[in-house]
Amino acid sequence: MVGGVTIGQAAAFANITIKTIRHYHRLGLVDEPHRDSSGYRRYSSSDLLRLVQVRTLAESGVPLSEISALLDADPQRFAADLAEVKRRLTERIEELITRRDLLDRLANGDRTLLPDRACALLDRAAGLGFTPDEVAAYREGMVLTRALIPDGFDDYLTKAEHALDDTRFVDLNKQCWAAKDLDPDDPRIEELATALADRFLANPALLAIPNGLQARTDATRYGLLNHHGEDQAPAMARLTTLVEAKLRSAGVDIPHQ
C-alpha cells in the first residue's frame, strides 16, 4: 500500500474508533507509524493487519495486557495460545446459551425454577383434571422441596410420578382439594383422613421421604414441606394432622412438629 492511509481510514477499515487506535498505541499493541511530509501518520497494510488482529483478540476476550505476547510469539506458541482463547470463547458461548434459555423459561414461571422433569409432572397433573389453582399449589410445593432438600429432589420427583400413577391416590387428592373449604370439625375430614392413611399403607411407595429427610430428625424442614399452605386452609391442616396421627399409630416414622 503506497503511502498508506490516515488514522481515520485505518479506523474505518479495522471497524474501530480513532480513540481505540490511539489507546492501542499507548499500550504498545500497535506501533505508531511515522508522519508523512504533511504531518499525517500513514498506516501501511501491515499496520492495518495488526489493528485487525488486536481488535479480534480483544473482542474474543483476550485481555489487552496479553495480546502483544500472543501476537509476537513463535507460530507453535501462537497456535497453542489461540486454541486456549477458542476454548474460553466456547465456554462463554455455552454460558450465554444457558442464559438465553433461562430467559425463554421466564415466559413460563414453572420452567424458571423447576427442571423439565418437574414441569412434565405439572402438565400431567393438569391433564388428570387438577384445577389451575391446584396445579399452582403443586408447583409451589415442588419449588419449596427443591429449595429445602436439593439433594433429594430427584427422589421426590420419583415419588410424585409414582403417586400420579396411582388412580385411587389421585382421586383422594382431588377429594382433599374439594374438602379444603369444609369446617375443620366436619366428619368428612375424619373419613377422608382414614381413606388417605389406608391408601398410604396399601401403597408404601407413596410414603417415600426424599434423601434429605431420611434421618427423620429434621422436623422443621418436614413441617415446611408437608404443612405448606395450611395456614390459609384450616380443614387441610386438620386433615394432614389426622393422616399423620393414623400413620404413626400404624408404626410409620413421621417427624413430630
Side-chain angles (χ1 to χ4, degrees), residues 130-139 177 180:
F130 287 94
T131 69
D133 286 345
E134 292 163 1
V135 173
Y138 188 19
R139 172 190 174 275
W177 283 108
K180 69 182 178 66

Side-chain angles (χ1 to χ4, degrees), residues 179-242:
K180 69 182 178 66
D181 295 323
L182 294 176
D183 185 280
D185 295 323
D186 190 302
R188 286 173 289 181
I189 299 295
E190 175 80 33
E191 294 171 3
L192 188 52
T194 299
L196 276 169
D198 288 345
R199 193 59 200 160
F200 277 123
L201 296 173
N203 188 353
L206 296 173
L207 285 167
I209 297 178
N211 288 338
L213 296 177
Q214 284 294 350
R216 304 295 206 277
T217 57
D218 196 339
T220 300
R221 285 195 295 176
Y222 174 82
L224 286 170
L225 292 173
N226 215 41
H227 296 266
H228 170 64
E230 291 179 353
D231 53 335
Q232 298 178 358
M236 298 293 276
R238 175 162 170 73
L239 177 62
T240 302
T241 299
L242 288 172

Side-chain angles (χ1 to χ4, degrees), residues 18 34 47 59 140 165 172 224 245:
I18 292 175
H34 296 296
D47 294 325
E59 290 178 348
E140 288 181 0
D165 286 336
L172 286 170
L224 286 170

Side-chain angles (χ1 to χ4, degrees), residues 153-173:
F153 192 60
D154 283 341
D155 289 341
Y156 168 84
L157 293 179
T158 298
K159 170 192 171 184
E161 289 164 348
H162 185 81
L164 292 183
D165 286 336
D166 189 316
T167 55
R168 174 59 177 158
F169 188 71
V170 168
D171 181 62
L172 286 170
N173 267 273

